[in-house]
Amino acid sequence: MSGPTPDASNGETGLGIICGGGSLPFALADAAARRGRRIALFPLRGWADPQRVVAYPHHWIWMGQSQRFMRLAATEGCRDVAFIGSVTRPSLWQIRPDFRVLRLMPQLVQLYRGGDDHLLVGIGRLVEQYGFRLVAPREIAPELTMPRGLLGGHTPSERDRADIARGIALLNATSPFDIGQAVVVADNQVLAVEGPEGTDRMLARVAELRRDGRIRSPIGTGVLVKAPKLGQDHRFDLPAIGPPTVEAASTAGLAGIAVVAGSTLVAEPERIAAAADRARMFVIGVDADGTQR
Amino acid sequence: MSGPTPDASNGETGLGIICGGGSLPFALADAAARRGRRIALFPLRGWADPQRVVAYPHHWIWMGQSQRFMRLAATEGCRDVAFIGSVTRPSLWQIRPDFRVLRLMPQLVQLYRGGDDHLLVGIGRLVEQYGFRLVAPREIAPELTMPRGLLGGHTPSERDRADIARGIALLNATSPFDIGQAVVVADNQVLAVEGPEGTDRMLARVAELRRDGRIRSPIGTGVLVKAPKLGQDHRFDLPAIGPPTVEAASTAGLAGIAVVAGSTLVAEPERIAAAADRARMFVIGVDADGTQR
């Protein structure tokens, strides 16, 4: 089986979207559709939202079904492929490797050792070997990335700005270790560093530490800071925030959220702004070096 | 009220031990007693073990009772003072500031912003202003620090050794941020970075991630790595391990524990070795730069 056949007549090939969880895959599909692109969704079983995939042509796949995916993507005329949506590192029982993937197993096992970034970049390289072009969501729809400056009406205080700077510096220092992409800093104290548990569970931990009196800073202080790894491939696993992130940060008693502008995916900026205003929290896009305007 | 009067006749003054939780304070008291030193314990209410303090002259204090402490330490002839045992950062209701501490409040509030290290070094400086000499536990009893090499009969594999090196490098990278002193690395993936929750709760988190299938490496892989911050004042808050640490690491399915030799407190090395052997885990003391012999 060979790769897809690009439709050379107009230079615009179909876009296949491999969908993880959350609303980002559908925001990307809508944005690409508005631009008149032909779209096919490849929702990942166990992650993608079954109720929302029905709006587009779609083919469910298991993680690991590379042959099924490549055959269907070729049929749908999708030479461009985007990965988007939340996918936690699968445990082995969640993967249904087909023959092609099995042949690649020695390579994949090598990739599987090491952090997520390592894994994803490696998988991306494999996909490209089969003639697909992996595209970054922001290449298709720049409006899905966080802008510089504020969403909503609240602004960070001087203390919050210092916490943001410390959070960005910490994430840059841990970047070579391919850990998480988020930290919580409150009044200059680091409260949490994200691991494989993900942002929501990290925020739940902060809420719990606060209930237990193990955090000195009062409710309404502290910032969730998210940033991509330095030099991260923008085609994979960019940090993302949505209205649920605002709610989880509010439950953790934080003052706001800071993310790197242009390198953070936001599915529904208006709803994020509304949620932030309701929670009296700020949401700000800053530069990768921590510069805040 | 002035500071203590040293007993100049023999150059050996009494030793006051401010006791946090766990068995380390009593291991230090026993070690100092074996050397013939006069000892008084100052157990901190809420942390120190009431059943074990009775073995020595002792005076319970609340965090913040500086005048009571200084008066009693002077009465007991203690010019040397050691802080030892686990004390999580107190919430404000756990502190009973007396008049002297209240006068220092503006200074203390400044110290309270920032990480634990910042706080402890600052408090130490204040104590010294009142004529006491803060001593490091290892100055009194070098046998309370982890030796180089193995405790117990199990040895790390090549993979474990790579995880140890990665853990030490990560702790060195996060050191300027005054976070925790422990990380868990399994098969080159960072599973957790310790925050204010402490080592035991971090290990419980790893156990939970494993139960939920969010960690790919199998039971029996992964290392708990602990290290002091770079340039840390050895008179305060050194990392410590004990038999309960081995048990928590075993519940998290780890292969072993690595700590920095000479800079990690161990109350009961024989019991640690026995617990490690029962759990089929290694416990190793390595150099601060990660060198393993």
Side-chain angles (χ1 to χ4, degrees), chain A residues 246-284:
Chain A
V246 176
E247 275 169 40
S250 169
T251 304
L254 303 187
I257 298 174
V259 300
V260 174
S263 303
T264 307
L265 295 170
V266 285
E268 301 152 308
E270 310 76 16
R271 288 188 56 213
I272 293 175
D277 285 347
R278 272 196 307 277
R280 302 176 173 282
M281 287 171 55
F282 66 84
V283 175
I284 189 169

Short mmCIF file of all heavy atoms in Angstrom, two decimals, chain A residues 246-284:
data_model
loop_
_atom_site.label_atom_id
_atom_site.label_comp_id
_atom_site.label_asym_id
_atom_site.label_seq_id
_atom_site.Cartn_x
_atom_site.Cartn_y
_atom_site.Cartn_z
N VAL A 246 -9.90 27.20 33.03
CA VAL A 246 -10.19 28.37 33.87
C VAL A 246 -10.91 27.92 35.13
O VAL A 246 -10.58 28.35 36.25
CB VAL A 246 -11.03 29.41 33.11
CG1 VAL A 246 -11.40 30.57 34.02
CG2 VAL A 246 -10.28 29.90 31.87
N GLU A 247 -11.87 27.00 34.97
CA GLU A 247 -12.61 26.53 36.15
C GLU A 247 -11.71 25.79 37.13
O GLU A 247 -11.81 26.00 38.34
CB GLU A 247 -13.77 25.64 35.72
CG GLU A 247 -14.99 26.48 35.38
CD GLU A 247 -16.08 25.67 34.71
OE1 GLU A 247 -16.30 24.52 35.12
OE2 GLU A 247 -16.70 26.20 33.76
N ALA A 248 -10.83 24.93 36.60
CA ALA A 248 -9.94 24.19 37.49
C ALA A 248 -8.98 25.13 38.21
O ALA A 248 -8.68 24.96 39.39
CB ALA A 248 -9.17 23.13 36.70
N ALA A 249 -8.50 26.16 37.51
CA ALA A 249 -7.59 27.13 38.14
C ALA A 249 -8.32 27.95 39.19
O ALA A 249 -7.75 28.31 40.23
CB ALA A 249 -6.99 28.05 37.06
N SER A 250 -9.59 28.20 38.95
CA SER A 250 -10.39 28.94 39.92
C SER A 250 -10.60 28.10 41.18
O SER A 250 -10.47 28.59 42.31
CB SER A 250 -11.72 29.33 39.27
OG SER A 250 -12.62 29.81 40.23
N THR A 251 -10.88 26.81 41.01
CA THR A 251 -11.04 25.92 42.15
C THR A 251 -9.75 25.82 42.96
O THR A 251 -9.78 25.65 44.17
CB THR A 251 -11.46 24.50 41.66
OG1 THR A 251 -12.64 24.63 40.88
CG2 THR A 251 -11.70 23.56 42.83
N ALA A 252 -8.62 25.95 42.29
CA ALA A 252 -7.33 25.94 42.98
C ALA A 252 -7.01 27.29 43.63
O ALA A 252 -5.95 27.46 44.21
CB ALA A 252 -6.22 25.53 42.02
N GLY A 253 -7.92 28.23 43.52
CA GLY A 253 -7.75 29.52 44.18
C GLY A 253 -6.72 30.42 43.54
O GLY A 253 -6.10 31.26 44.21
N LEU A 254 -6.49 30.27 42.25
CA LEU A 254 -5.46 31.06 41.58
C LEU A 254 -5.99 32.43 41.14
O LEU A 254 -7.19 32.64 41.01
CB LEU A 254 -4.91 30.30 40.37
CG LEU A 254 -4.32 28.91 40.66
CD1 LEU A 254 -3.65 28.34 39.42
CD2 LEU A 254 -3.31 28.98 41.81
N ALA A 255 -5.03 33.33 40.87
CA ALA A 255 -5.38 34.67 40.40
C ALA A 255 -5.52 34.70 38.89
O ALA A 255 -6.22 35.57 38.35
CB ALA A 255 -4.30 35.66 40.83
N GLY A 256 -4.86 33.77 38.20
CA GLY A 256 -4.96 33.80 36.75
C GLY A 256 -4.13 32.75 36.06
O GLY A 256 -3.56 31.85 36.69
N ILE A 257 -4.10 32.87 34.74
CA ILE A 257 -3.44 31.91 33.85
C ILE A 257 -2.57 32.69 32.87
O ILE A 257 -3.02 33.68 32.30
CB ILE A 257 -4.48 31.09 33.07
CG1 ILE A 257 -5.36 30.27 34.02
CG2 ILE A 257 -3.81 30.17 32.04
CD1 ILE A 257 -6.53 29.54 33.34
N ALA A 258 -1.33 32.23 32.69
CA ALA A 258 -0.46 32.84 31.68
C ALA A 258 0.05 31.76 30.75
O ALA A 258 0.49 30.70 31.20
CB ALA A 258 0.72 33.55 32.36
N VAL A 259 -0.04 32.01 29.45
CA VAL A 259 0.43 31.04 28.46
C VAL A 259 1.26 31.78 27.42
O VAL A 259 1.24 33.01 27.34
CB VAL A 259 -0.75 30.32 27.77
CG1 VAL A 259 -1.59 29.56 28.78
CG2 VAL A 259 -1.61 31.30 26.98
N VAL A 260 2.01 31.00 26.62
CA VAL A 260 2.84 31.64 25.61
C VAL A 260 2.01 31.94 24.36
O VAL A 260 1.42 31.04 23.76
CB VAL A 260 4.06 30.76 25.27
CG1 VAL A 260 4.84 31.35 24.11
CG2 VAL A 260 4.95 30.62 26.50
N ALA A 261 1.96 33.22 24.00
CA ALA A 261 1.19 33.65 22.83
C ALA A 261 1.75 32.98 21.58
O ALA A 261 2.95 32.79 21.44
CB ALA A 261 1.27 35.17 22.69
N GLY A 262 0.84 32.56 20.69
CA GLY A 262 1.26 31.96 19.42
C GLY A 262 1.65 30.51 19.53
O GLY A 262 1.77 29.83 18.52
N SER A 263 1.88 30.01 20.74
CA SER A 263 2.30 28.62 20.92
C SER A 263 1.38 27.87 21.86
O SER A 263 1.77 26.87 22.45
CB SER A 263 3.72 28.57 21.48
OG SER A 263 4.61 29.26 20.66
N THR A 264 0.20 28.40 22.08
CA THR A 264 -0.78 27.74 22.94
C THR A 264 -2.10 27.69 22.17
O THR A 264 -2.51 28.71 21.60
CB THR A 264 -0.98 28.53 24.25
OG1 THR A 264 0.28 28.75 24.85
CG2 THR A 264 -1.92 27.80 25.19
N LEU A 265 -2.72 26.55 22.15
CA LEU A 265 -3.97 26.42 21.42
C LEU A 265 -5.15 26.83 22.31
O LEU A 265 -5.19 26.48 23.50
CB LEU A 265 -4.15 24.98 20.95
CG LEU A 265 -3.10 24.52 19.92
CD1 LEU A 265 -3.21 23.01 19.69
CD2 LEU A 265 -3.24 25.29 18.62
N VAL A 266 -6.06 27.59 21.74
CA VAL A 266 -7.29 27.97 22.44
C VAL A 266 -8.46 27.70 21.51
O VAL A 266 -8.55 28.26 20.42
CB VAL A 266 -7.29 29.47 22.86
CG1 VAL A 266 -6.36 29.69 24.04
CG2 VAL A 266 -6.88 30.38 21.72
N ALA A 267 -9.34 26.82 21.96
CA ALA A 267 -10.45 26.44 21.08
C ALA A 267 -11.49 27.55 21.02
O ALA A 267 -12.02 27.87 19.97
CB ALA A 267 -11.09 25.14 21.57
N GLU A 268 -11.80 28.12 22.17
CA GLU A 268 -12.94 29.02 22.25
C GLU A 268 -12.58 30.26 23.06
O GLU A 268 -12.97 30.38 24.22
CB GLU A 268 -14.11 28.29 22.91
CG GLU A 268 -14.53 27.04 22.14
CD GLU A 268 -15.16 25.98 23.03
OE1 GLU A 268 -14.53 25.63 24.07
OE2 GLU A 268 -16.26 25.53 22.71
N PRO A 269 -11.83 31.19 22.45
CA PRO A 269 -11.32 32.34 23.21
C PRO A 269 -12.44 33.16 23.88
O PRO A 269 -12.25 33.63 25.01
CB PRO A 269 -10.56 33.16 22.17
CG PRO A 269 -10.83 32.53 20.84
CD PRO A 269 -11.33 31.15 21.06
N GLU A 270 -13.59 33.30 23.22
CA GLU A 270 -14.65 34.11 23.83
C GLU A 270 -15.18 33.44 25.09
O GLU A 270 -15.45 34.10 26.09
CB GLU A 270 -15.83 34.33 22.86
CG GLU A 270 -15.46 34.82 21.46
CD GLU A 270 -14.87 33.71 20.58
OE1 GLU A 270 -15.03 32.51 20.94
OE2 GLU A 270 -14.23 34.03 19.56
N ARG A 271 -15.32 32.11 25.02
CA ARG A 271 -15.82 31.40 26.21
C ARG A 271 -14.78 31.41 27.32
O ARG A 271 -15.12 31.45 28.51
CB ARG A 271 -16.22 29.96 25.85
CG ARG A 271 -17.52 29.92 25.01
CD ARG A 271 -18.00 28.49 24.83
NE ARG A 271 -18.18 27.82 26.10
CZ ARG A 271 -17.98 26.52 26.33
NH1 ARG A 271 -17.59 25.74 25.33
NH2 ARG A 271 -18.14 26.00 27.52
N ILE A 272 -13.49 31.37 26.95
CA ILE A 272 -12.45 31.48 27.97
C ILE A 272 -12.53 32.84 28.65
O ILE A 272 -12.48 32.95 29.89
CB ILE A 272 -11.05 31.28 27.35
CG1 ILE A 272 -10.90 29.83 26.86
CG2 ILE A 272 -9.95 31.63 28.35
CD1 ILE A 272 -9.60 29.57 26.11
N ALA A 273 -12.68 33.88 27.85
CA ALA A 273 -12.77 35.24 28.41
C ALA A 273 -13.96 35.36 29.35
O ALA A 273 -13.85 35.92 30.45
CB ALA A 273 -12.86 36.26 27.28
N ALA A 274 -15.09 34.78 28.94
CA ALA A 274 -16.29 34.86 29.77
C ALA A 274 -16.09 34.11 31.08
O ALA A 274 -16.45 34.60 32.17
CB ALA A 274 -17.50 34.31 29.00
N ALA A 275 -15.48 32.90 30.98
CA ALA A 275 -15.25 32.11 32.20
C ALA A 275 -14.28 32.85 33.13
O ALA A 275 -14.45 32.85 34.35
CB ALA A 275 -14.69 30.74 31.82
N ALA A 276 -13.26 33.48 32.55
CA ALA A 276 -12.29 34.21 33.37
C ALA A 276 -12.95 35.39 34.06
O ALA A 276 -12.70 35.66 35.24
CB ALA A 276 -11.12 34.68 32.50
N ASP A 277 -13.80 36.10 33.36
CA ASP A 277 -14.48 37.24 33.97
C ASP A 277 -15.38 36.79 35.12
O ASP A 277 -15.39 37.40 36.19
CB ASP A 277 -15.29 38.01 32.91
CG ASP A 277 -14.38 38.85 32.01
OD1 ASP A 277 -13.19 39.03 32.37
OD2 ASP A 277 -14.84 39.32 30.96
N ARG A 278 -16.11 35.69 34.89
CA ARG A 278 -16.96 35.17 35.96
C ARG A 278 -16.14 34.80 37.20
O ARG A 278 -16.54 35.04 38.32
CB ARG A 278 -17.70 33.90 35.49
CG ARG A 278 -19.03 34.17 34.79
CD ARG A 278 -19.87 32.88 34.71
NE ARG A 278 -19.15 31.76 34.11
CZ ARG A 278 -19.02 31.55 32.80
NH1 ARG A 278 -19.54 32.42 31.93
NH2 ARG A 278 -18.37 30.51 32.33
N ALA A 279 -14.94 34.21 36.96
CA ALA A 279 -14.10 33.76 38.08
C ALA A 279 -13.22 34.88 38.62
O ALA A 279 -12.44 34.66 39.55
CB ALA A 279 -13.25 32.57 37.64
N ARG A 280 -13.33 36.08 38.03
CA ARG A 280 -12.47 37.22 38.42
C ARG A 280 -10.99 36.87 38.29
O ARG A 280 -10.19 37.14 39.18
CB ARG A 280 -12.76 37.68 39.85
CG ARG A 280 -14.21 38.08 40.04
CD ARG A 280 -14.55 38.43 41.48
NE ARG A 280 -15.91 38.96 41.53
CZ ARG A 280 -16.25 40.20 41.18
NH1 ARG A 280 -15.32 41.05 40.79
NH2 ARG A 280 -17.50 40.60 41.24
N MET A 281 -10.67 36.20 37.19
CA MET A 281 -9.28 35.81 36.95
C MET A 281 -8.79 36.45 35.66
O MET A 281 -9.57 36.74 34.76
CB MET A 281 -9.19 34.29 36.80
CG MET A 281 -9.35 33.55 38.13
SD MET A 281 -9.50 31.77 37.85
CE MET A 281 -8.02 31.50 36.91
N PHE A 282 -7.46 36.63 35.59
CA PHE A 282 -6.91 37.10 34.32
C PHE A 282 -6.44 35.90 33.49
O PHE A 282 -6.12 34.84 34.03
CB PHE A 282 -5.74 38.08 34.55
CG PHE A 282 -4.54 37.45 35.19
CD1 PHE A 282 -3.58 36.77 34.42
CD2 PHE A 282 -4.33 37.53 36.56
CE1 PHE A 282 -2.47 36.18 35.01
CE2 PHE A 282 -3.22 36.94 37.15
CZ PHE A 282 -2.30 36.27 36.37
N VAL A 283 -6.43 36.08 32.18
CA VAL A 283 -5.83 35.12 31.25
C VAL A 283 -4.98 35.93 30.29
O VAL A 283 -5.50 36.85 29.63
CB VAL A 283 -6.90 34.32 30.49
CG1 VAL A 283 -6.23 33.40 29.45
CG2 VAL A 283 -7.75 33.49 31.44
N ILE A 284 -3.69 35.65 30.26
CA ILE A 284 -2.78 36.50 29.48
C ILE A 284 -1.87 35.66 28.59
O ILE A 284 -1.42 34.59 28.98
CB ILE A 284 -1.95 37.43 30.42
CG1 ILE A 284 -1.17 38.48 29.62
CG2 ILE A 284 -1.02 36.62 31.32
CD1 ILE A 284 -0.54 39.57 30.48
#
